[in-house]
Amino acid sequence: MPNGSNNWDERELFERGPVVVFRWKNQDGWPVANVSPNAAEVFGYTPEQFLNGDVVYSSLIHPDDIERVGREVAEGSAMSSFVHEPYRVRRVDGGIRWLHDVTHVIRPDGGGEPTHFLGYVVDITEQIEAEAQRHALEMKLLQTQKLESMGIFASGVAHDFNNFLAGILGEAELAKLCLKDQPEEAARGLENIIMLSVRAAELTQQLLTFAGKRQNPAQPVRLDRVVEEVAKMLGTVISKDATLELQLAEVDPIHADRTQMVQVVMNLLTNASESLVGGVGQINVRVCNTTFRGDRAVCLTVADTGCGMTEDVRHRLF
């Protein structure tokens, strides 16, 4: 850099920069032995007020931070230097500023107890406030995402409930037609109506669970039986032109919420049916025992010959 009368030298640039340099005495309150001229810009107090004792440094530290700062000084005194966690100070006008403080420990020749602390402090208030705003925005976004998830969940519940109702109405119509001429078919339809009604009631209980109003205890559940039951329930919902093939082995019980397992299987089968172009195609369901990471597990696979998921649906899959 060229020299000239209009250029600051390094010392002047340092003294007018954002870093305030302090030399504190190792005494109660950390009285100031020396301070750079730019202290007034951060604290609002002149260097003379610090040097003549009108202002004791510890009195400026926020009451909620002073104990921690004192502990950091006590622990750091055994080292050659240390860095404080950010702390707050109160300006002359009452404003609060956040400081980043790096301190070097000064000892007399030969060691011993520190006589002074030489450090620099940087005003990081804008950074702290920006971080707080970013955190607030993240929390707001999280809340928005939760509300969106609730909307998706409610939409899914309405979809499932419609499936139950369609099944109930279908079975009721069949029972009505068969009541006189085919009493056995009518009895089977009435059984399905009862079963579908119970599942619909369980679905409303799941809404209460989602809202935190009810706990659904986990219990041993045979997934092969759940699939078989759901397949029967959805007989009037799945396309008549679709072929449903079940490969159900007698599997180990899993520890789960049975209502949720019914809903999972029902969603998979319904989605598979809806993906079939024109309702024509095949749905294969397989349940078997397997191992996962060395442990026994149960595997449920649902495959279909439909159109698959769009990229938007794939992005929101889970």
Side-chain angles (χ1 to χ4, degrees):
M1 178 181 294
N3 294 323
S5 58
N6 292 329
N7 295 321
W8 291 342
D9 61 19
E10 290 83 352
R11 179 181 179 84
E12 187 175 5
L13 177 62
F14 185 75
E15 291 178 347
R16 296 189 181 185
V19 178
V20 182
V21 179
F22 279 95
R23 186 183 181 92
W24 298 282
K25 298 177 183 178
N26 186 17
Q27 299 174 7
D28 291 342
W30 310 305
V32 176
N34 202 355
V35 61
S36 56
N38 56 350
E41 298 177 14
V42 175
F43 297 89
Y45 295 98
T46 66
E48 290 74 18
Q49 288 177 292
F50 282 105
L51 295 175
N52 62 24
D54 290 344
V55 180
V56 179
Y57 191 83
S58 63
S59 67
L60 304 182
I61 299 177
H62 194 283
D64 293 342
D65 297 340
I66 184 64
E67 181 179 350
R68 171 177 59 82
V69 172
R71 184 170 61 253
E72 290 171 346
V73 171
E75 294 173 353
S77 296
M79 300 180 286
S80 60
S81 64
F82 59 95
V83 180
H84 287 280
E85 289 293 323
Y87 61 85
R88 292 161 288 180
V89 294
R90 192 180 302 278
R91 281 175 47 88
V92 66
D93 57 9
I96 299 297
R97 311 302 294 178
W98 283 89
L99 300 182
H100 172 68
D101 184 334
V102 178
T103 300
H104 298 273
V105 180
I106 300 177
R107 293 181 171 84
D109 294 340
E113 283 295 313
T115 59
H116 294 80
F117 300 104
L118 178 63
Y120 61 84
V121 298
V122 183
D123 187 347
I124 58 171
T125 305
E126 292 183 1
Q127 176 184 340
I128 294 292
E129 291 177 348
E131 181 67 20
Q133 290 177 358
R134 185 187 66 80
H135 179 69
L137 287 175
E138 287 180 349
M139 295 303 296
K140 186 175 181 180
L141 177 61
L142 181 61
Q143 184 66 22
T144 301
Q145 290 173 337
K146 286 183 178 180
L147 292 175
E148 181 181 358
S149 297
M150 291 181 66
I152 294 173
F153 178 81
S155 176
V157 168
H159 181 76
D160 295 341
F161 211 88
N162 282 334
N163 288 334
F164 281 130
L165 291 177
I168 291 171
L169 292 174
E171 295 292 347
E173 289 294 332
L174 289 175
K176 182 178 178 181
L177 292 174
C178 300
L179 191 58
K180 293 182 179 179
D181 300 331
Q182 298 177 333
E184 291 183 4
E185 293 293 330
R188 188 178 300 111
L190 290 173
E191 288 178 1
N192 286 335
I193 290 173
I194 294 172
M195 182 171 57
L196 286 166
S197 300
V198 170
R199 295 292 170 260
E202 290 177 348
L203 189 61
T204 61
Q205 295 302 314
Q206 189 173 352
L207 276 174
L208 294 176
T209 301
F210 182 79
K213 303 296 184 180
R214 182 177 180 270
Q215 294 284 331
N216 275 347
Q219 57 183 320
V221 177
R222 281 276 300 277
L223 197 53
D224 55 320
R225 294 178 181 174
V226 170
V227 171
E228 188 174 21
E229 177 184 319
V230 172
K232 291 180 180 178
M233 284 194 297
L234 295 182
T236 58
V237 177
I238 293 177
S239 171
K240 297 298 183 182
D241 296 322
T243 302
L244 178 61
E245 181 179 340
L246 303 180
Q247 299 177 4
L248 307 179
E250 186 173 330
V251 296
D252 298 332
I254 61 174
H255 199 59
D257 179 348
R258 190 180 188 283
T259 302
Q260 290 182 351
M261 290 297 99
V262 169
Q263 183 180 352
V264 166
V265 174
M266 185 176 65
N267 285 344
L268 290 173
L269 293 181
T270 303
N271 290 341
S273 175
E274 292 178 349
S275 73
L276 300 179
V277 179
V280 180
Q282 186 169 343
I283 302 172
N284 297 312
V285 184
R286 182 169 179 263
V287 179
C288 63
N289 287 317
T290 186
T291 57
F292 181 70
R293 295 179 180 175
D295 295 327
R296 290 180 62 83
V298 175
C299 177
L300 165 66
T301 304
V302 178
D304 62 74
T305 57
C307 59
M309 291 182 288
T310 64
E311 284 302 318
D312 179 61
V313 172
R314 189 187 302 275
H315 180 69
R316 297 183 291 110
L317 177 60
F318 295 106

